[in-house]
Amino acid sequence: MNTQAVRLDELYQEVILDHNRNPRNYAKLTEATSVAHGVNPLCGDHFDIYLVKEGALVKKVAFEGDGCAISKASASMMTQAVQGKSAQEASALKDHFIGLLTEPAPSPAHREGVGRLKFFEGVRNFPIRVKCATLAWRALEEALKGTEKQVSTE
Ligand code: ZN
């Protein structure tokens, strides 16, 4: 129990606090091609995710809103991780991230799939925080659906 608490403290100190204080891509994008609103009533986290898609490319991602440190840091890092990827890659990353945090046993494929975001796995030790960490990604999922234009299938 104590070691788990220490792990989360470390997360707060090293990365989460930084992103919470200075969220990246924190803006309302008037040129957004898709907007999704995510709410986690349990904690009070609420974010708008803005997406600018150009063909199959996720050209720009930004978010606006408020929430706890984990939800905000997760949203901030999500925008960094997804920007510049194809919608398909973004969606795969989203699946890995949500899978890593919500599946009964964390799979090595998900751990590998999320890359440097893998430290979020520590949030599994705090089930109430899982919804905070995955909120922005679930909103991203909706935003990606909203812009699904099927430009090219293969
Ligand atoms: Zn929260």
Side-chain angles (χ1 to χ4, degrees), residues 39-61:
V39 183
N40 174 19
L42 215 65
C43 181
D45 312 318
H46 56 99
F47 295 104
D48 286 318
I49 305 294
Y50 300 92
L51 220 70
V52 178
K53 269 179 78 181
E54 208 174 79
L57 181 75
V58 179
K59 200 182 173 193
K60 243 175 160 182
V61 193

Side-chain angles (χ1 to χ4, degrees), residues 1-9 126:
M1 197 61 186
N2 281 338
T3 49
Q4 290 177 353
V6 167
R7 270 181 77 186
L8 193 69
D9 281 348
F126 304 86

Side-chain angles (χ1 to χ4, degrees), residues 13-125:
Q13 284 165 18
E14 286 168 22
V15 190
I16 292 189
L17 253 181
D18 173 47
H19 278 265
N20 181 48
R21 281 197 194 119
N22 305 297
R24 320 301 200 270
N25 303 305
Y26 190 83
K28 180 178 182 166
L29 295 181
T30 51
E31 76 269 37
T33 54
S34 181
V35 183
H37 188 62
V39 183
N40 174 19
L42 215 65
C43 181
D45 312 318
H46 56 99
F47 295 104
D48 286 318
I49 305 294
Y50 300 92
L51 220 70
V52 178
K53 269 179 78 181
E54 208 174 79
L57 181 75
V58 179
K59 200 182 173 193
K60 243 175 160 182
V61 193
F63 79 105
E64 214 181 30
D66 213 352
C68 66
I70 286 185
S71 68
K72 204 166 190 175
S74 179
S76 172
M77 280 179 254
M78 180 278 286
T79 63
Q80 284 190 315
V82 163
Q83 195 150 283
K85 286 192 160 53
S86 73
Q88 205 177 1
E89 290 168 334
S91 183
L93 186 58
K94 176 263 301 171
D95 287 340
H96 284 310
F97 189 89
I98 292 176
L100 183 67
L101 267 70
T102 61
E103 282 176 11
S107 107
H110 288 326
R111 203 173 287 148
E112 197 171 311
V114 298
R116 63 193 191 90
L117 296 174
K118 63 176 176 284
F119 72 87
F120 268 99
E121 189 183 336
V123 175
R124 289 179 63 96
N125 297 322

